[in-house]
Every structure is written in C-alpha cells, then in structure tokens.
Amino acid sequence: MASATDSRYGQKESSDQNFDYMFKILIIGNSSVGKTSFLFRYADDSFTPAFVSTVGIDFKVKTIYRNDKRIKLQIWDTAGQERYRTITTAYYRGAMGFILMYDITNEESFNAVQDWSTQIKTYSWDNAQVLLVGNKCDMEDERVVSAEKGRQLAEHLGFEFFEASAKDNINVKQTFERLVDIICEKMSESLDTADPAVTGAKQGPQLTDQQAPPHQDCAC
Ligand code: GDP
Ligand code: MG
C-alpha cells in the first residue's frame, strides 16, 4: 500500500525541495462520501472498492506543473475523525484550499455541507478557496441529490462546483487543478491589491507546518 508519495514513507518526495509553491489542501465532508478514495485516485491513480481504511494516513504529496510553476500539493485526508466531528483546529491551520465533498446518493451528506462550510469559515484562513464536489456520480440509479441542487448550494455558498467519481475517474484531476488555479488567482489578486494578509504574511497561512516555502510571492 505504501507508495513514494505517502507521508510516512515518502522521504524522497517530502524532502524534495524542487518546487515553486507548496499548497496545503484538505478534503472534508461526511464519513463514506469517498474522500480517501478520491485522494487515492488522484495521488496513486488507484481505486479500492472495499471500504478504505484511513487510519495512519496524514497526507499525500503530489507535485504538478501549473501556469509554468512547479506546485507541490500536500493533500490531507481525515483519519476518520469526521465521523465524530472532532477534526481539530490544527488540522485546518495553513490550509489554502478545500475540497468539500458529499455523496450524490446520500442526502444526509449533502445536508451536512452547510455545517462543513461553517467549519471551514470558522477555522481557516479567510482567503482559503473551496470547491464543492458531489462524488459517486457513476451511481446514477441511486442518485438522490440532483446536479442542479448541488450547483445551487455551491452558488449560495460562493464555491465552484463539480460532480465527480473516484471510482470511474471522472473530474478528479480537474477538481484538483481547478482548485490550484483558483488558489493561484487569489494569491496574485491579493498581491496586486497588496493585501497584507498575503504580502505581510502576518495573518496569512503558513504554507506548510513542515517547512518554509522557497518563495511566498506568487505570479502565477
Ligand atoms: P471516506 O470515508 O469519505 O474516506 O470514504 P471512502 O473513500 O472510504 O469510501 C467509502 C465507500 O464509498 C467505499 O466503499 C468506496 O469504495 C466507495 N466509493 C468511493 N468513491 C466512490 C465513487 O466515486 N463511486 C462509487 N460507486 N463508490 C465510491
Ligand atoms: Mg476516509
């Protein structure tokens, strides 16, 4: 199971300093919506049909090229704490982007989106970007949340919206890339307007808890 990108085993990757920016991204939402599957699909291009045990996974690292920049993504997955709503504030610290996920076959997970959104707004940096993702769109026959309802809620909350499937690999890469793009857009916007939250880095996020980024400015 361990791959070169696993946090515990990825000495090679995690000590790799060859990147322009590092973004901490969190995947949150109710238990069983497919967060761990979504992360595995993106980071390892794999899918395990059985319930994926999340125990022991802190984050995975994936480095991508976007806008001529090498961007290292540190993608965090909850280790089952979401079941008890006991995600600690430390987990949110420094996050620049969120994938807020529900399951299109599970109404309860959709109804919880508002609460998760409130948590994000309470515990994270003001400029953190959020994408709402309706996962399991391969299960059309069991759908209980229409795409339209998802879109409307996203609009109401001010988030962008995707339906996706970790199983069939639909919109997984697109979700992460769009999130990276809007984080970059926000960063350059903030720099343009000399927003002290970014330029002064006083109220801004620590790009990582682990190490200082090589550059804090962003021109992408
Ligand atoms: P988590 O609790 O949010 O991390 O959810 P998991 O990734 O553990 O997934 C919960 C269950 O949903 C597992 O049985 C997965 O195989 C299944 N699952 C996850 N994503 C999809 C998907 O896109 N389509 C389908 N059909 N099943 C999925
Ligand atoms: Mg999980």
Side-chain angles (χ1 to χ4, degrees):
M1 278 261 286
S3 79
T5 52
D6 284 345
S7 54
R8 282 158 201 246
Y9 307 101
Q11 289 311 312
K12 187 170 166 283
E13 260 291 341
S14 48
S15 62
D16 175 13
Q17 292 296 308
N18 191 16
F19 57 88
D20 297 299
Y21 307 113
M22 161 111 89
F23 296 161
K24 177 178 172 183
I25 290 173
L26 264 55
I27 309 179
I28 60 166
N30 274 14
S31 186
S32 307
V33 298
K35 299 179 298 299
T36 303
S37 304
F38 203 77
L39 174 59
F40 274 59
R41 168 63 74 197
Y42 183 61
D44 299 345
D45 198 14
S46 68
F47 180 80
T48 313
F51 195 83
V52 183
S53 163
T54 314
V55 176
I57 293 191
D58 299 321
F59 61 84
K60 279 175 176 276
V61 168
K62 186 164 171 119
T63 304
I64 61 168
Y65 279 103
R66 212 67 198 148
N67 313 309
D68 294 329
K69 294 282 184 287
R70 210 172 137 89
I71 301 174
K72 185 164 170 172
L73 303 180
Q74 195 188 63
I75 310 163
W76 290 70
D77 180 25
T78 50
Q81 306 97 322
E82 75 274 24
R83 218 163 298 161
Y84 315 102
R85 296 286 169 94
T86 53
I87 297 178
T88 60
T89 53
Y91 184 75
Y92 286 90
R93 195 172 306 136
M96 304 184 76
F98 289 85
I99 291 172
L100 201 180
M101 185 173 289
Y102 66 92
D103 170 354
I104 66 150
T105 72
N106 180 321
E107 184 100 43
E108 197 188 325
S109 73
F110 181 70
N111 293 337
V113 166
Q114 179 80 56
D115 279 358
W116 286 114
S117 163
T118 305
Q119 285 229 12
I120 293 173
K121 286 177 178 152
T122 309
Y123 297 118
S124 76
W125 181 49
D126 281 350
N127 280 338
Q129 300 298 302
V130 186
L131 277 190
L132 180 65
V133 171
N135 189 40
K136 308 197 188 180
C137 73
D138 58 285
M139 296 174 79
E140 196 53 54
D141 291 351
E142 291 170 54
R143 177 193 284 276
V144 292
V145 182
S146 70
E148 192 44 39
K149 261 180 96 178
R151 200 168 297 115
Q152 278 173 7
L153 179 59
E155 200 174 307
H156 170 70
L157 296 169
F159 305 155
E160 290 195 22
F161 175 67
F162 280 98
E163 282 202 342
S165 166
K167 180 166 182 263
D168 287 357
N169 201 5
I170 299 167
N171 275 342
V172 177
K173 189 163 171 247
Q174 288 85 342
T175 295
F176 282 98
E177 291 184 348
R178 183 65 196 139
L179 183 57
V180 165
D181 286 353
I182 59 178
I183 292 170
C184 282
E185 278 166 24
K186 191 72 199 176
M187 281 173 79
S188 51
E189 231 176 69
S190 303
L191 287 173
D192 285 348
T193 55
D195 181 346
V198 168
T199 49
K202 267 205 162 150
Q203 304 137 300
Q206 298 296 312
L207 286 186
T208 165
D209 289 335
Q210 263 70 44
Q211 59 198 124
H215 307 291
Q216 287 202 335
D217 52 329
C218 179
C220 61

